[in-house]
Amino acid sequence: MTGTQGFLKRHARVLVVGDHPTSTAPRRRRPPRPTPRTRSLRTRLLLLVGVTLLVVCSTIAGATALVQRAYLMRDLDDRVTVAADRGLDGAGRHPEDADDLSFLTGNGHPPGLIAARLDTGGRVLAAAVVGQDAPPQALTPAQSAALAGIAPDGSQHTRSVPGLGTYRVAAVESGGSRVLAGLPMDDVQHLIGALVAVEAGVAGAGLALACCVCAVVIRRQLRSLGRVAAAAAEVTRVPPPQGEGTGLTRVPERDTVPGSEAGQIGAALNRLIDRVESSHAERRRGEERMRRFLADASHELRTPLASIAGYAELMNRGTARIEPVLAWRRVSAESARMTGLVEDLLLLARLDEGRPLQSAEVDMTALVAEAVRDARVAGGGHHWRLDLRLDAPALVVGDEGRLHQVVSGLLANARTHTPAGTTVTATVEATDVRCVVRVRDDGPGIPPALLPTVFERFTRADTSRSRADAGSGGAGLGLAVAAAVTAAHGGRLDVSSVPGRTEFTVELPVAGGTTEETARPAQRPSPASV
């Protein structure tokens, strides 16, 4: 038991102290260091430009110093060679005296010149240095030893002479005489050092100035990009617009110039904002249409249902105030009205989903003629006319029943919303590429305010156009169904209306191509009463 307690104490101590790899003691985390990708674009550009300028300036300064040093060393080597040849000429006057340096006593020798006589083994026999306004002074043994071992082949050597500094020396031989000459390198080294210092100062100042200029230029050039980023951030913070107002911040016009990348981004951001607002506006309109659609559909369905429920209640009570046959007729009529409304709604839903209709070749001439005959029977108080303008057979590919519904709906719309005595003309035009059906009436016309929404669902103009009776007319789905069916057949339905003339135009693609017989223009009959 004691061993177990000791084991637990040791492990508890480890957990508390935290010196075990599995210790639960919290560790202090260091903040992450900024990486090149986390730095701002401005900082990265400044670093890149600064490093590039530093490399360029260093390269230029180094190359200039090397070229200048090479030039100065070449000039010094030439002067050393000239001094050696001159000393060899002076030594040639006394070839028998191997340690004669009398040629140094003449004029024209540069101060600091070293001259020496060598033996065949390269040892220094005699050496002296020319002073400034002073006779030559002999070199010490240590200084002479620093010049030993140089072959008399005219090659240049660098030697450090104690007490005198660094020299550039060369040895030559002629006629048994061997002479060494050397000139100090201190002036060259000082000049090169001064040149490097000047170049470093100029390069540093130029680098600092260039970095400052680049910082200002980059800051100015990226200012528009910063404004674009600020606008984008503002857009992300603003909630989506709920009403008609936009509420979204746009990039200023000056930051949308297409000539720069920032301008292109700003213009693209503005287009994106416009698209977002358009989508939100379209969604709001769609939601509003859906709410209105549901409300209208509920109202239209509730009316016949209420009528049916009322008649059923009266019949259940067995009251004598209503005849059963009349009640059943009213119930059947309301049921038929509700059934038609539901069928129209289902048809619109199927067309909205893109479900295909039946496809067959349909003769629009016969279809329109039949629809006009049916309209004449239903609306005897109107004048019905059929006008055929055919340059080719009026054949289209589609659902004959739905196309008949379109034409009948347009004729019924004209009958319902125009007074008795109105002339309604159905025109069929056909060419090699299209078939057009026009339904025109000379009634009071559609109000201009209603014209843009005439093909929307549950749109009615009861207060603007006269009706035959209060109970006539549908639920406002006829034109919406006609437009949807026409669009499903690859065509379009248009309307134009002024007082005294309202015309609906159905344009459909023809079924086939041109043949020799159909290519010939047909004789156009004059409008005839049906």
Side-chain angles (χ1 to χ4, degrees):
M1 188 68 179
T2 305
T4 303
Q5 291 178 352
F7 175 79
L8 292 176
K9 288 181 179 180
R10 286 195 302 270
H11 279 70
R13 204 164 41 243
V14 168
L15 291 175
V16 172
V17 175
D19 57 313
H20 193 270
T22 58
S23 173
T24 59
R27 296 181 179 179
R28 181 177 298 175
R29 294 184 178 180
R30 297 181 179 178
R33 295 181 179 179
T35 61
R37 291 187 177 182
T38 59
R39 297 190 182 99
S40 64
L41 179 60
R42 182 182 305 165
T43 303
R44 284 183 286 169
L45 287 176
L46 283 176
L47 288 177
L48 179 61
V49 172
V51 171
T52 303
L53 290 176
L54 179 62
V55 172
V56 171
C57 291
S58 300
T59 303
I60 293 175
T64 304
L66 290 177
V67 170
Q68 190 67 26
R69 183 181 184 280
Y71 173 78
L72 294 176
M73 290 300 297
R74 186 168 57 251
D75 179 71
L76 180 62
D77 291 343
D78 292 341
R79 290 191 286 120
V80 169
T81 301
V82 171
D85 292 339
R86 185 177 179 184
L88 186 61
D89 292 341
R93 299 187 186 130
H94 305 280
E96 70 284 355
D97 192 356
D99 57 356
D100 179 49
L101 295 175
S102 59
F103 60 85
L104 292 177
T105 58
N107 296 326
H109 297 290
L113 171 65
I114 291 179
R117 298 289 296 271
L118 306 178
D119 61 6
T120 56
R123 291 186 300 110
V124 177
L125 300 177
V129 58
V130 177
Q132 183 72 29
D133 298 332
Q137 296 181 357
L139 298 183
T140 62
Q143 294 172 340
S144 298
L147 302 175
I150 298 177
D153 55 1
S155 60
Q156 306 291 333
H157 300 271
T158 301
R159 295 294 175 90
S160 180
V161 180
L164 297 179
T166 304
Y167 270 74
R168 190 72 170 172
V169 298
V172 293
E173 179 182 8
S174 178
S177 299
R178 289 165 291 278
V179 176
L180 180 145
L183 291 174
M185 296 179 59
D186 295 339
D187 294 342
V188 174
Q189 292 177 343
H190 292 161
L191 182 58
I192 294 175
L195 179 62
V196 170
V198 171
E199 289 180 349
V202 173
L207 181 62
L209 179 60
C211 288
C212 293
V213 173
C214 290
V216 174
V217 172
I218 291 174
R219 183 180 181 87
R220 291 176 62 88
Q221 294 299 320
L222 293 182
R223 190 176 299 168
S224 58
L225 186 60
R227 289 192 293 265
V228 172
E234 183 68 22
V235 170
T236 59
R237 289 192 294 267
V238 175
Q242 302 296 329
E244 294 299 328
T246 59
L248 295 180
T249 303
R250 280 174 170 76
V251 180
E253 188 69 24
R254 58 177 178 174
D255 296 329
T256 59
V257 180
S260 62
E261 289 76 4
Q264 295 172 5
I265 296 175
L269 181 60
N270 281 347
R271 290 194 297 269
L272 178 60
I273 294 174
D274 293 338
R275 186 169 300 178
V276 169
E277 290 184 344
S278 299
S279 64
H280 280 293
E282 183 63 28
R283 187 188 67 181
R284 290 194 304 271
R285 288 192 294 267
E287 292 174 351
E288 182 63 27
R289 286 196 301 267
M290 181 60 66
R291 285 192 295 268
R292 188 171 64 251
F293 175 80
L294 292 176
D296 292 340
S298 300
H299 175 74
E300 294 295 333
L301 289 174
R302 184 174 55 196
T303 301
L305 285 175
S307 179
I308 293 173
Y311 281 109
E313 181 67 22
L314 291 176
M315 293 176 65
N316 287 333
R317 291 180 181 179
T319 178
R321 289 182 300 175
I322 184 169
E323 298 180 1
V325 176
L326 177 60
W328 281 115
R329 287 178 181 175
R330 296 304 303 168
V331 168
S332 299
E334 296 296 337
S335 298
R337 177 184 174 188
M338 186 169 60
T339 301
L341 176 61
V342 172
E343 289 179 353
D344 288 342
L345 292 177
L346 291 177
L347 175 60
L348 288 173
R350 287 194 295 268
L351 294 177
D352 289 341
E353 292 177 359
R355 295 184 184 180
L357 299 174
Q358 295 181 2
S359 181
E361 192 173 84
V362 180
D363 186 357
M364 294 301 297
T365 303
L367 187 147
V368 174
E370 181 181 355
V372 171
R373 283 195 297 268
D374 295 341
R376 183 177 182 276
V377 173
H382 290 67
H383 301 290
W384 303 94
R385 299 175 65 85
L386 176 63
D387 185 9
L388 303 180
R389 302 178 181 181
L390 305 177
D391 292 336
L395 300 178
V396 299
V397 175
D399 190 330
E400 183 175 1
R402 296 305 177 189
L403 291 176
H404 189 277
Q405 182 180 3
V406 170
V407 179
S408 299
L410 294 178
L411 294 174
N413 182 75
R415 182 187 72 248
T416 302
H417 297 288
T418 57
T422 302
T423 300
V424 182
T425 303
T427 305
V428 181
E429 301 176 1
T431 63
D432 295 335
V433 294
R434 68 173 186 167
C435 176
V436 179
V437 178
R438 306 180 190 275
V439 176
R440 185 179 68 253
D441 66 73
D442 55 0
I446 302 174
L450 186 65
L451 205 57
T453 61
V454 72
F455 295 116
E456 293 185 2
R457 300 167 189 183
F458 296 106
T459 298
R460 287 167 296 189
D462 300 344
T463 60
S464 301
R465 308 184 79 188
S466 63
R467 304 173 69 173
D469 57 75
S472 64
L477 291 177
L479 293 180
V481 171
V485 172
T486 304
H489 284 80
R492 63 179 181 177
L493 175 60
D494 296 325
V495 62
S496 62
S497 180
V498 293
R501 179 185 175 88
T502 298
E503 182 176 85
F504 288 88
T505 303
V506 180
E507 184 176 342
L508 298 169
V510 297
T514 304
T515 62
E516 292 183 0
E517 294 182 0
T518 58
R520 291 176 295 181
Q523 224 176 8
R524 297 183 181 178
S526 59
S529 299
V530 178

